Amino acid sequence: MQILVIGIGAGDPEQLTLQAVAALNRADVFFVLDKGDVKQELVDLRTEILQRHATGYQVVVGRDPERDRSSTAYVEAVDDWRRRRADVCAELIAANLGADQVGAFLVWGDPSLYDSTLAILDDILARGELSFEIEVIPGISSVSTLAARHRVPLNQVGRPVQITTGRRLAKEWPDGVDDVVVMLDAHTAFTAHLDQDATIYWGAYLGTPDELLIAGPVREVAAEIEKVRAEARERKGWIMDTYLLRRS
Ligand SMILES: C[S@@+](CC[C@H](N)C(=O)[O-])C[C@H]1O[C@@H](n2cnc3c(N)ncnc32)[C@H](O)[C@@H]1O
C-alpha cells in the first residue's frame, strides 16, 4: 500500500505542479474528510482538480469529527481531534485500499504548513494495524502566494522570518524577529501591534477570483483591513487570510 499526500496549491487550480499532476494520475483512491461546512467553493476546487487531472479513480468520503472549540487547552483539543481523525482515516484506508493500490490525500497549499495529514498518517502507522509507504508531493502554500502577490520577499537580507498563528501573535510579537507571517487568524491579531512601526502585507482568498490584497503601514491600514475582512466574511460566509508583518 502506498499513500500520496499531494499539495494542491492555495486556491488557484493553475498552482498544481507537474509532480502533483503525475501523482493525481497514479492514485486509485482519494480519501476526503467531509467538513460539512459552508466552504463549498473549496470542495468544488478539489472536484475540478480531480476531474481535470485524475483518471480511473474512486473518491471515498469520511465524516470529519468535530473539534472541541470550547476548550481552553488548545494543544490538547487539537491532539484529541487529530486522534479521532486518525480513527476515521484508518477505517477508510482499511476498508477501501487494496494491498497493491495507491491512495491519496489532497492537501490545501503545502502539506508542511499547519496541516495535520502527515501527523494523522504517522499516528495510524504507529498503531501497527496498517502498513503503507508515504510519499509527499509539495504544493504552493498560501504563504508563497501571499509573497508573490505583493511582490515581496518574506525575509529581509540575512534576517530570519517566523511563521506563526493569530492566536500567538495576539499575545505578543515574537522575540528576535522583525518579519512575521501570520496564519489561522480568526480575530485580526495585527490590531494588537499598532504601536509597532510595521508594514502589513495582507491577503485573503489568495489565488481565487475573490482575492483581496491590502498593504501599507499597519497603523494606517488596520481599520481598512478590518472593514474589508468583515464585509467579505459576511458576504461569503467564510474567510481565509494570511499576512506578513514587517518591521524595518
Ligand atoms: C489549516 S491552514 C493550511 C495552510 C496550507 N497548508 C498552506 O500551505 O497554505 C489554513 C490557513 O492557511 C491560510 N490560507 C490557506 N489558503 C489561503 C488562501 N487561499 N488565502 C489566504 N490564506 C490562506 C490561512 O491563514 C488559513 O487560516
Side-chain angles (χ1 to χ4, degrees):
M1 270 190 206
Q2 198 186 14
I3 306 264
L4 307 175
V5 178
I6 308 174
I8 60 167
D12 181 348
E14 297 288 314
Q15 284 188 344
L16 273 186
T17 66
L18 296 178
Q19 238 180 8
V21 170
L24 288 166
N25 261 300
R26 274 164 61 204
D28 302 300
V29 184
F30 290 92
F31 298 105
V32 176
L33 286 187
D34 175 13
K35 298 187 194 319
D37 58 15
V38 289
K39 300 177 189 171
Q40 187 55 40
E41 287 142 290
L42 307 190
V43 177
D44 291 347
L45 181 81
R46 290 211 172 93
T47 309
E48 183 194 332
I49 284 175
L50 288 180
Q51 283 173 352
R52 262 169 73 176
H53 300 289
T55 42
Y57 60 91
Q58 185 194 349
V59 178
V60 177
V61 182
R63 187 84 182 93
D64 200 0
E66 290 291 320
R67 191 174 109 198
D68 179 4
R69 289 178 192 276
S70 64
S71 169
T72 47
Y74 178 76
V75 173
E76 287 78 2
V78 171
D79 267 358
D80 168 65
W81 183 43
R82 193 164 78 198
R83 263 193 300 279
R84 287 184 289 117
R85 297 177 100 191
D87 295 341
V88 175
C89 290
E91 269 179 47
L92 289 182
I93 294 168
N96 295 286
L97 197 63
D100 303 329
Q101 286 192 302
V102 178
F105 286 84
L106 304 187
V107 172
W108 197 251
D110 181 67
S112 70
L113 267 179
Y114 294 109
D115 184 85
S116 49
T117 309
L118 292 172
I120 288 171
L121 293 176
D122 281 346
D123 187 329
I124 296 172
L125 285 176
R127 297 172 184 189
E129 285 155 18
L130 282 171
S131 166
F132 46 78
E133 275 173 37
I134 301 172
E135 186 179 332
V136 180
I137 289 86
I140 296 178
S141 75
S142 52
V143 177
S144 308
T145 311
L146 176 80
R149 287 290 185 269
H150 283 290
R151 300 183 295 267
V152 290
L154 291 176
N155 64 288
Q156 300 179 66
V157 180
R159 300 277 299 146
V161 55
Q162 183 166 124
I163 301 177
T164 190
T165 62
R167 183 179 286 264
R168 283 185 174 274
L169 186 79
K171 289 191 188 129
E172 60 183 358
W173 185 291
D175 279 347
V177 285
D178 289 320
D179 293 275
V180 186
V181 174
V182 184
M183 304 175 79
L184 293 166
D185 184 357
H187 302 291
T188 56
F190 55 84
T191 53
H193 300 285
L194 300 184
D195 57 328
Q196 302 282 342
D197 195 7
T199 302
I200 187 168
Y201 299 91
W202 177 82
Y205 314 109
L206 291 159
T208 77
D210 295 313
E211 183 174 273
L212 297 168
L213 298 172
I214 296 175
V218 69
R219 264 182 224 137
E220 289 171 26
V221 298
E224 183 192 351
I225 296 174
E226 283 185 298
K227 180 167 170 283
V228 167
R229 189 182 187 280
E231 281 169 5
R233 190 182 189 167
E234 176 70 24
R235 190 171 64 245
K236 285 177 68 73
W238 60 279
I239 190 156
M240 275 205 302
D241 60 339
T242 307
Y243 50 91
L244 166 67
L245 274 174
R246 162 158 297 157
R247 283 192 306 214
S248 49

